[in-house]
Amino acid sequence: DVAPAIPRLGVPAYNWWNEALHGVARSGLATVFPQAIGMAATWNDSLIFRLATVVSDEARAKHHEYLRRDSHGRYQGLTFWSPNINIFRDPRWGRGQETFGEDPFLSGRLAVPFIRGLQGNDPRYFKTVATVKHFAVHSGPESDRHSFDAVVSERDLRETYLPQFEMGIREGQAYSLMCAYNRLGGKAACASDPLLKDILRNEWRFPGFIVSDCGAIDDIFMHHKLVATGAEAAAISVKSGTDLDCGRIYPSLVEAVQRGLITEAEIDVSMMRLLVARMRLGMFDDPSQVPYAQTPFDVLDRPAHRALAREVARESMVLLKNSGTLPLSKSLRSIAVIGPNANDVRM
């Protein structure tokens, strides 16, 4: 996920890995919004658009401040690996709170404004790039995610696991997609012609780039045992359309070319997709031409952004049953917050 600098071409280094699930993450001060499962509880698509617009404002402000410092590290770029639109129906899946829940329609209807808010509406430039993930049928027990084969019927695939991705690609026009760790019907998700070529590229006409989940290319030969070596795993992934490896396997593409497993021309297809994405973010143009490059640094954590976070939090609250407990009595002097996360600052 790290692109080294190419000084002779004037191409700076770039780290593709950034997170913005509910605010710009792991990159210093930023407005923090409720987790995605809370966003879904609002059922408010226009609110989600406003939220994502704030996130992309802060992302642009941070990115250009990093550039002023000549810093090009992880969590400092404009390609965000959000939103997570997998379907959350199994409580053994540890990342369910990152999703919009169990319903494909609601997930898709909220993914679209989230993506649009992240990517902006300029006809020439992306504000940021949104990445829908993890494609596809990825929501089983956490402990098995690197090795399991998701076996679903064609009807279940089409009715449950693909609609929100189709909405995100066709309506939201997400320019990036992350393929999953698991297999689907025996094929690794990041090396699946049926998923990546037939459905994503040919049926949905997806023009953007595909990135692997982190370590998913390793899984193809280490855990799924579909091929014997990293070079083979890299070759079949690029051939299927996975352009970027979040991991350590794609350097073995040199060996793969030498062994005749893939051609340089096939690798060039992926390289072009990645460079076009950076071009559409304005990374090679004069900042005066890129409207989002003028985003001031002081947009971070503005009072209006905090107010919006409170508004989302209020709308995310769902009361399942009230047996006279609410509203709380004003005579209460203290409230106990109990549980393993009660005093955990990360939570």
Side-chain angles (χ1 to χ4, degrees):
D1 56 276
V2 179
I6 311 173
R8 66 185 176 85
L9 299 178
V11 177
Y14 184 67
N15 192 307
W16 293 85
W17 189 344
N18 304 276
E19 304 282 357
L21 186 69
H22 57 119
V24 181
R26 300 176 177 174
S27 189
L29 178 70
T31 306
V32 178
F33 293 94
Q35 182 58 286
I37 198 73
M39 294 182 200
T42 71
W43 292 71
N44 190 333
D45 53 358
S46 61
L47 186 66
I48 301 308
F49 175 77
R50 290 167 57 204
L51 174 162
T53 300
V54 164
V55 174
S56 55
D57 282 345
E58 297 194 355
R60 269 288 175 173
K62 286 178 176 291
H63 175 69
H64 293 292
E65 179 66 18
Y66 286 125
L67 290 185
R68 285 188 284 271
R69 300 178 189 175
D70 196 28
S71 186
H72 305 271
R74 183 179 290 179
Y75 312 130
Q76 298 178 0
L78 293 173
T79 45
F80 285 92
W81 296 351
S82 309
N84 182 345
I85 52 174
N86 291 129
I87 298 303
F88 182 33
R89 293 182 178 176
D90 189 331
R92 295 170 298 173
W93 186 38
R95 297 177 65 178
Q97 82 281 353
E98 293 185 11
T99 75
F100 294 132
E102 73 276 14
D103 184 74
F105 182 75
L106 178 63
S107 297
R109 292 270 48 91
L110 296 184
V112 168
F114 189 91
I115 293 160
R116 289 177 175 169
L118 283 187
Q119 295 194 160
N121 60 1
D122 188 84
R124 181 177 174 88
Y125 295 106
F126 286 126
K127 192 177 184 185
T128 70
V129 165
T131 304
V132 287
K133 65 184 187 184
H134 308 80
F135 195 64
V137 197
H138 180 77
S139 53
E142 194 78 356
S143 59
D144 297 333
R145 63 181 181 166
H146 293 282
S147 57
F148 82 93
D149 184 14
V151 179
V152 295
S153 67
E154 181 71 13
R155 175 172 177 173
D156 203 21
L157 180 68
R158 293 286 180 168
E159 291 186 352
T160 304
Y161 296 105
L162 294 187
Q164 71 280 20
F165 281 99
E166 184 174 7
M167 285 187 243
I169 296 297
R170 285 187 151 167
E171 289 185 60
Q173 298 189 320
Y175 203 68
S176 174
L177 173 139
M178 179 178 283
C179 51
Y181 289 125
N182 55 281
R183 280 169 286 153
L184 177 62
K187 295 182 181 293
C190 290
S192 170
D193 284 0
L195 267 182
L196 305 183
K197 285 185 177 180
D198 298 345
I199 294 174
L200 184 64
R201 300 272 186 205
N202 296 336
E203 189 177 324
W204 298 347
R205 315 306 297 176
F206 175 64
F209 68 91
I210 299 170
V211 57
S212 77
D213 204 345
C214 297
I217 310 301
D218 309 49
D219 289 343
I220 293 173
F221 71 101
M222 292 177 66
H223 300 118
H224 297 307
K225 311 287 188 186
L226 294 173
V227 293
T229 66
E232 292 169 86
I236 64 171
S237 299
V238 172
K239 281 172 174 281
S240 288
T242 299
D243 305 297
L244 183 65
D245 171 24
C246 178
R248 55 201 174 96
I249 305 303
Y250 273 17
S252 64
L253 283 168
V254 176
E255 177 192 340
V257 171
Q258 292 168 347
R259 291 173 54 187
L261 302 171
I262 193 170
T263 65
E264 287 190 46
E266 288 172 307
I267 297 171
D268 285 347
V269 173
S270 289
M271 183 190 71
M272 287 291 292
R273 289 185 187 130
L274 296 171
L275 284 171
V276 165
R278 292 178 67 180
M279 289 172 183
R280 294 197 62 188
L281 286 162
M283 291 182 175
F284 306 124
D285 292 344
D286 189 286
S288 64
Q289 297 181 358
V290 186
Y292 304 122
Q294 318 310 319
T295 307
F297 190 61
D298 66 4
V299 303
L300 296 177
D301 196 37
R302 280 181 171 171
H305 295 183
R306 292 188 177 199
L308 181 61
R310 282 194 297 273
E311 184 179 346
V312 179
R314 289 190 191 103
E315 292 205 23
S316 76
M317 295 176 189
V318 178
L319 181 62
L320 299 179
K321 183 179 181 181
N322 184 17
S323 302
T325 305
L326 296 179
L328 295 174
S329 168
K330 292 185 179 180
S331 64
L332 279 177
R333 289 173 33 183
S334 64
I335 298 172
V337 180
I338 297 168
N341 294 333
N343 196 31
D344 185 332
V345 71
R346 280 186 67 139
M347 297 298 110

